[in-house]
Amino acid sequence: MELRKVWGSRPLIAAAVGVLIQDEHGRVLLQRRGDDGLWSEPGGALDPGEDFLTGARRELLEETGLTCPRLTLLPLPESVQDGPELYHCYPNGHEIYIVGMRAHGTLSAAALERAAPDDSGETLELRWFPLDALPELSNNANRKSMTILRARVGLPPLPLAPTPPPPPVGNFLHDLRRVIGHRPWFAPGANVLVTDDQNRLLLLRHGHTRKWTLPGGGLEPGERFEQTAARELFEETGLTAARLEPLEMYAGPEYRFTYPNGDVVDYVSVLYHARNISGTLTPQDGEVLETGWFGVDELPGDEELSGELIRANLRRWKEGQSTQP
């Protein structure tokens, strides 16, 4: 709310988690919201430095008073929340684009008798609903989540509410920094593994950090993670991929990064593997100082890499190499 005083109602990107809880009859647990009186799955924005599963457990407890021992993140790609259809305008006029993940778990129907939402007023009522008899839902994020569950039992997708076109691609985080300064902020984005015919990995030495990193960058409001990956890959390298395969999503306190200018970001990042690359490698002027192709045993040392997120991305790639026949 402090940010809104200076940012106004303009769209922000909200890193959030949705919590899908079902009972033994396949019904889904929904809350009637205090802001618009409509229904949604439990969930909400991550706290700074929080990972998605921790956020899911916290939001479930705050909004229902319940815990779910078997709560897990859905697998990619159905877990990912992104895209222009996940625009939401709150009753007070504040606009957001929801990005993040979905968690899923099961509880007995009788668990609802123990429900005790906190006193914030976010939850007016809790109820189990059959997937073929859902109430009026609050926003498209909820409709997309319910569509995932409905598809599992052969039900058709829910229609989405119309949304305004997203703003043109610019430099959202740069504009936001003018308002928030150096303080920590979630930075949703994507990184891309690009390999050549010798199975060497492409790394870029970044102009700001002078460290080795992967092609990638930040998400713009209304953009999908895959669109970010494709856009940043082309901007930084001149290459395009016929297909981008999602491998893993990263978030949590270990992925906080401080830039040389003092800006602090909490990365929320999807890692993609680029398939069927085309184009000529053309480093982005000023942004990329150097490019290099590295075999699995030739990668730069950890101190030469641009933070823990990139180190985790490279570990994921190395693990994939070790499992190949």
Side-chain angles (χ1 to χ4, degrees):
M1 296 305 295
E2 290 298 316
L3 173 59
R4 286 295 187 182
K5 291 178 182 178
V6 289
W7 187 256
S9 297
R10 290 180 291 164
L12 290 170
I13 300 175
V17 62
V19 187
L20 311 181
I21 301 295
Q22 292 183 275
D23 69 3
E24 64 270 29
H25 307 294
R27 298 179 300 178
V28 63
L29 180 63
L30 298 180
Q31 62 171 148
R32 191 160 65 85
R33 298 169 57 97
D35 56 1
D36 60 14
L38 302 178
W39 294 85
S40 73
E41 75 242 38
L46 297 186
D47 285 340
E50 195 171 44
D51 65 75
F52 283 106
L53 194 54
T54 301
R57 292 177 178 134
R58 175 184 54 77
E59 288 287 345
L60 180 64
L61 183 62
E62 290 174 359
E63 296 181 352
T64 72
L66 300 173
T67 59
C68 179
R70 296 175 294 278
L71 193 65
T72 59
L73 295 174
L74 289 174
L76 270 62
E78 67 180 358
S79 64
V80 175
Q81 303 189 87
D82 62 2
E85 67 272 19
L86 295 196
Y87 166 90
H88 181 62
C89 183
Y90 288 100
N92 63 5
H94 293 169
E95 299 175 87
I96 63 167
Y97 283 94
I98 297 169
V99 302
M101 298 191 80
R102 300 177 178 93
H104 182 268
T106 57
L107 288 172
S108 69
L112 197 54
E113 299 171 6
R114 306 190 304 271
D118 65 18
D119 59 2
S120 66
E122 287 188 66
T123 303
L124 302 180
E125 183 182 356
L126 291 164
R127 196 185 304 176
W128 295 109
F129 286 94
L131 291 171
D132 60 355
L134 294 169
E136 186 177 0
L137 298 173
S138 177
N139 57 56
N140 280 346
N142 308 137
R143 297 180 186 98
K144 295 277 284 187
S145 292
M146 294 305 105
T147 288
I148 288 170
L149 297 182
R150 284 164 61 91
R152 293 181 171 189
V153 293
L155 292 171
L158 295 178
L160 299 178
T163 54
V169 172
N171 196 331
F172 170 74
L173 191 55
H174 176 75
D175 294 340
L176 192 61
R177 283 292 176 194
R178 296 175 181 172
V179 174
I180 67 173
H182 299 307
R183 72 184 65 180
W185 193 260
F186 283 108
N191 290 327
V192 185
L193 300 173
V194 179
T195 52
D196 65 7
D197 54 8
Q198 300 176 53
N199 205 30
R200 297 178 303 173
L201 182 67
L202 176 64
L203 295 181
L204 317 176
R205 192 183 291 275
H206 201 277
H208 296 300
T209 64
R210 299 187 177 273
K211 302 281 190 178
W212 290 102
T213 188
L214 292 167
L219 191 104
E220 291 288 314
E223 195 172 37
R224 302 188 192 280
F225 285 100
E226 185 174 331
Q227 290 175 314
T228 300
R231 174 176 54 77
E232 291 286 346
L233 176 62
F234 182 75
E235 288 176 0
E236 294 186 338
T237 71
L239 303 175
T240 58
R243 182 168 64 91
L244 288 165
E245 175 189 356
L247 300 179
E248 193 168 340
M249 194 168 195
Y250 298 82
E254 63 268 42
Y255 304 120
R256 174 167 287 187
F257 183 79
T258 302
Y259 282 91
N261 68 355
D263 290 349
V264 181
V265 296
D266 287 335
Y267 284 122
V268 175
S269 180
V270 179
L271 178 65
Y272 290 89
H273 196 160
R275 303 294 188 182
N276 299 325
I277 288 292
S278 61
T280 301
L281 181 58
T282 308
Q284 185 177 11
D285 188 37
E287 189 84 4
V288 178
L289 302 179
E290 182 183 357
T291 66
W293 294 95
F294 297 87
V296 70
D297 297 320
E298 304 167 340
L299 294 170
D302 282 356
E303 70 283 354
E304 298 181 78
L305 299 175
S306 183
E308 181 55 30
L309 175 63
I310 299 303
R311 290 192 280 270
N313 290 167
L314 297 196
R315 287 196 296 270
R316 179 69 166 80
W317 179 65
K318 291 171 69 174
E319 290 165 4
Q321 306 313 296
S322 65
T323 60
Q324 290 184 1

